[in-house]
């Protein structure tokens, strides 16, 4: 007798509307905080993240290293070594290269134009300057090219860029790049959100990476990681729990693409990282990472709550209709009111939650 009334109030509109509205509201809230999330699927994956992997330079450190010492082969000399290294560094986008160019500029050193420059992601740069074949990069990069290096004094716990001239190590450039001021707060926030594992994954030497990991209380530090190694680490961690990778450089882009969620530091990062990431931070602050996760979790939680609210109210309306207390016209109006209530509740994802 009351089949028509029940049918009118039994529409699944709250289920269809509430979740997309909540997710879009979450994306909008993130955008207001300088966090670009590339779609609702990315937001949902971000909400489920339990492990976060961090690159070091430009992510947990400001990515603006400064040259603090030069150790050169006496046969080459410090000033000529810096001139050659800075000249080749002009063909690279890496922050260490920028530091070398800045150091040469500060000394008013005229730099020749490099030739045949090839940048190896996560390794270094090779090319020619004034006809001399040069290599500039990490120790592992020079080793891969068959060049042996000495133990750099004063560089045990600092990043070191090496210069090789004609297949022989010629100089070590010791850099300084401290931990970001907001990094401890970011790590503490991630712990408060209940993330199970925080890991530093970097191409830098263990001696330079370990102090950063200790200072921030990270669960593990994986150093000397080439781009392919980072991908392997991401896949291994993702096999155990949903994993996010945070990075900013060209060498981080493959790992960002391989992670469940790639988070690119887009303010000063590379276009390759921003393209590969599912989330792009337009503000140069690493504490936007836990904020993005908090926003995603709240949006997902609000979506489920809005669905439960809408379907619950529909169930109550169906019971009233089955008992004969709702006519078809009144039932239609009630159902529209339920839809509006579910949508309005879903829009509360625009507001900051307790975790934010």
């Amino acid at each position: 007798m009351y089949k028509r009334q029940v049918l009118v109030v039994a529409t699944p509109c709250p289920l269809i509307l509430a979740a997309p509205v909540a997710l879009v509201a979450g994306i909008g809230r993130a955008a207001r905080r300088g966090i670009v999330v590339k779609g609702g699927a990315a937001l949902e994956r971000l909400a489920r993240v339990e492990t976060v992997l961090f690159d070091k330079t430009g992510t947990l450190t400001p990515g603006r290293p400064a040259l603090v010492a030069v150790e050169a082969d006496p046969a080459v000399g410090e000033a000529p070594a810096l001139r050659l290294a800075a000249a080749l560094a002009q063909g690279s986008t890496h922050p260490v290269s920028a530091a070398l160019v800045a150091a040469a500029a500060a000394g008013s050193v005229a730099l020749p134009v490099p030739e045949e420059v090839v940048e190896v992601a996560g390794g270094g740069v090779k090319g020619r300057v004034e006809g001399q074949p040069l290599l500039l990069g990490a120790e592992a990069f020079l080793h891969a090219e068959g060049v042996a290096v000495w133990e750099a004094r004063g560089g045990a716990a600092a990043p070191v860029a090496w210069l090789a001239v004609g297949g022989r190590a010629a100089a070590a450039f010791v850099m300084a790049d401290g931990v970001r001021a907001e990094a401890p707060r970011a790590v503490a926030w991630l712990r408060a959100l209940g993330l199970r594992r925080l890991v530093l994954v970097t191409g830098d030497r263990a001696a330079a990476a370990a102090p950063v990991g200790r200072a921030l209380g990270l669960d593990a530090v994986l150093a000397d990681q080439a781009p392919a190694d980072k991908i392997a680490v991401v896949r291994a961690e993702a096999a155990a729990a949903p994993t996010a990778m945070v990075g900013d450089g060209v060498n981080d882009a493959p790992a960002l693409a391989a992670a469940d969620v790639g988070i690119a530091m887009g303010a000063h990062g590379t276009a390759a990282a921003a393209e590969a990431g599912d989330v792009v931070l337009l503000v140069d602050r690493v504490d936007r990472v836990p904020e993005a996760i908090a926003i995603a979790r709240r949006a997902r939680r609000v979506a489920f709550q809005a669905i439960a609210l809408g379907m619950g109210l529909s169930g109550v309306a169906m019971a009233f209709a089955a008992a004969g207390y709702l006519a078809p016209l009144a039932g239609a109006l009630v159902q529209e009111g339920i839809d509006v209530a579910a949508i309005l509740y879903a829009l509360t994802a625009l507001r900051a939650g307790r975790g934010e």
Side-chain angles (χ1 to χ4, degrees), residues 315-345:
V316 172
M318 289 168 62
F320 274 90
Y325 294 111
L326 279 179
L329 179 59
L333 294 175
V334 168
Q335 182 58 44
E336 292 302 319
I338 292 172
D339 294 344
V340 171
I343 291 171
L344 290 177
Y345 189 87

Side-chain angles (χ1 to χ4, degrees), residues 17-33 35 37 39-40 43 295-296 298-300 302-303 342-352 356:
L17 297 174
V21 170
L23 295 179
V24 170
I27 291 172
R29 167 146 181 79
R32 292 207 304 267
R33 299 292 298 160
I35 304 165
V37 182
L43 191 76
I295 290 173
R298 172 166 165 74
R300 187 167 180 264
V302 168
I343 291 171
L344 290 177
Y345 189 87
L347 287 173
T348 61
L350 287 168
R351 299 201 311 261
E356 302 171 53

Side-chain angles (χ1 to χ4, degrees), residues 4 29 41 53 57 69 71 85 95 114 178 196 208 216 223 257 285 314 348-349:
R4 286 179 298 172
R29 167 146 181 79
L53 310 179
T57 304
E71 300 176 17
R196 59 184 292 274
L216 296 176
R285 294 182 60 93
S314 291
T348 61

Side-chain angles (χ1 to χ4, degrees), residues 203-219:
D204 288 348
R205 299 176 308 151
V212 175
R214 285 196 301 270
L216 296 176
L218 302 181
D219 296 304

Side-chain angles (χ1 to χ4, degrees), residues 200-269:
L200 174 59
V201 185
T202 177
D204 288 348
R205 299 176 308 151
V212 175
R214 285 196 301 270
L216 296 176
L218 302 181
D219 296 304
V221 175
L222 304 178
D224 296 310
Q225 300 291 304
D229 299 325
K230 290 185 178 182
I231 294 175
V233 171
V234 166
R235 288 175 176 168
E237 294 288 347
T243 299
M245 173 71 195
V246 188
D248 73 312
V250 174
N251 56 320
D252 299 318
L256 293 176
D260 294 307
V261 182
I263 304 177
M265 302 287 289
H268 297 293

